[in-house]
Amino acid sequence: MLKVLFYKNTAVTYTDNGKGAAIVLLHGFLENQSMWDTFIPELLKRNRVITIDLLGHGATECLGYVHSMEDQADMVHHVLTELNIRKVIFVGHSMGGYVALAFAELFPEYLKGLVLMNSTARADSAERKTNRDRAIIAVKKDYTAFVRLSIANLFSEDNRNTMTDEIDRVKLEALQTPLQGIIAALEGMKIRKDREVLLHQTSFPKMLILGKKDGVLQYEENATQIEGTDVQLISLADGHMSHIENKTEVLTVIADFIKKIGLLQR
């Protein structure tokens, strides 16, 4: 059941269920907390699970014209403070990973572990920044066409033909995202800092999940960011939507990662 609290006079929706070590699940761009629905029952067996609709997504309101990753992280911190949670394991998909990294930089004492799923610690390249600007123009011109095309491109080419029902469900959720939420997220992702140093210099356990056919974040390029680190790399066969395209594998590796952290801290 969705709950509501206020951050800077902005309504923020979240869920909070279960007992045990706290797991915070952060969705990606054009997604909302419902993307985790199939994962939550398994994670609830041993953990307290919190999901949050990020600013301008799901049922959470927009805060401004730009939602920086720092804005998002500060909002997440506010939610955790309200829930009296001081130690967490973050799992962030795509933009949710960017938010988790910003949180780790701003509030490092909270981190027990971090999973970046189809995400990167690197800042946007010049080309990606240009593409963000083009996306803003495109979504202003034809909102529905932009959202539908964006979602289809997140899946590997093979799965675009075989996962039509799943893709349609994701599109329906994405179409609930307000125009201003889309623009503010694109602006925020475009200006985000490079945080690769966090993968090299932080002591908490970390895992990076990448899809070999990810059309958004190129696999070989993003695998290089963890060279020389203790970050665990999970390589999957499909695209950017690993929680759907490789659901069983992803749930297994995340659950195992969380269990190992629990054993290490006994």
Side-chain angles (χ1 to χ4, degrees):
M1 180 178 174
L2 281 178
K3 301 175 182 179
V4 181
L5 54 74
F6 286 86
Y7 168 74
K8 297 184 177 180
N9 297 317
T10 300
V12 174
T13 50
Y14 68 98
T15 68
D16 176 19
N17 296 289
K19 295 179 179 180
I23 314 300
V24 177
L25 306 176
L26 298 178
H27 64 78
F29 176 58
L30 295 178
E31 297 172 327
N32 59 60
Q33 57 80 30
S34 71
M35 69 163 279
W36 303 108
D37 284 353
T38 58
F39 281 38
I40 290 173
E42 180 62 29
L43 298 179
L44 278 177
K45 291 178 182 177
R46 297 177 184 85
N47 296 97
R48 181 178 181 180
V49 180
I50 296 95
T51 67
I52 304 170
D53 281 338
L54 295 173
L55 296 170
H57 284 67
T60 291
E61 295 174 348
C62 294
L63 182 65
Y65 183 76
V66 178
H67 292 153
S68 71
M69 299 306 101
E70 291 83 0
D71 291 334
Q72 299 277 18
D74 192 58
M75 179 274 287
V76 171
H77 177 256
H78 178 74
V79 173
L80 297 183
T81 300
E82 290 293 306
L83 298 179
N84 198 30
I85 295 172
R86 292 290 180 267
K87 289 289 184 180
V88 295
I89 298 170
F90 276 103
V91 181
H93 180 237
S94 197
M95 184 179 76
Y98 308 156
V99 176
L101 285 161
F103 188 103
E105 182 179 75
L106 293 168
F107 312 104
E109 68 278 10
Y110 277 73
L111 269 288
K112 288 174 65 176
L114 172 64
V115 178
L116 299 176
M117 181 169 69
N118 311 109
S119 193
T120 178
R122 291 174 173 163
D124 271 0
S125 64
E127 180 183 1
R128 283 183 66 79
K129 287 179 180 179
T130 298
N131 287 339
R132 303 277 190 208
D133 289 332
R134 288 173 178 160
I136 290 168
I137 293 169
V139 73
K140 286 179 177 178
K141 184 177 180 181
D142 192 333
Y143 168 91
T144 302
F146 170 83
V147 171
R148 291 185 177 279
L149 182 61
S150 295
I151 295 302
N153 288 340
L154 298 177
F155 291 78
S156 69
E157 282 192 47
D158 294 340
N159 288 334
R160 288 173 208 168
N161 295 321
T162 60
M163 291 189 158
T164 53
D165 289 345
E166 292 88 343
I167 292 171
D168 285 344
R169 278 196 294 272
V170 177
K171 286 178 180 177
L172 284 174
E173 290 293 338
L175 286 167
Q176 297 179 34
T177 314
L179 175 61
Q180 184 52 46
I182 294 174
I183 294 170
L186 288 165
E187 294 281 7
M189 289 188 288
K190 183 178 70 176
I191 62 171
R192 76 182 189 279
K193 289 172 56 178
D194 189 299
R195 293 189 167 91
E196 189 173 345
V197 66
L198 293 178
L199 301 181
H200 293 257
Q201 295 185 359
T202 52
S203 59
F204 53 81
K206 297 170 285 291
M207 183 164 71
L208 177 64
I209 300 172
L210 296 176
K212 290 188 174 180
K213 296 178 182 176
D214 191 331
V216 178
L217 296 172
Q218 205 270 336
Y219 174 82
E220 287 80 7
E221 176 186 332
N222 282 289
T224 63
Q225 69 187 299
I226 60 169
E227 289 177 355
T229 74
D230 59 358
V231 180
Q232 181 183 0
L233 175 63
I234 303 296
S235 302
L236 300 172
D238 294 294
H240 193 70
M241 303 295 273
S242 292
H243 58 291
I244 298 173
E245 296 176 277
N246 306 102
K247 181 172 69 174
T248 302
E249 294 167 90
V250 169
L251 182 53
T252 298
V253 297
I254 289 175
D256 286 348
F257 179 81
I258 293 167
K259 282 183 209 170
K260 285 177 185 175
I261 291 175
L263 292 171
L264 285 172
Q265 297 180 347
R266 281 183 179 176

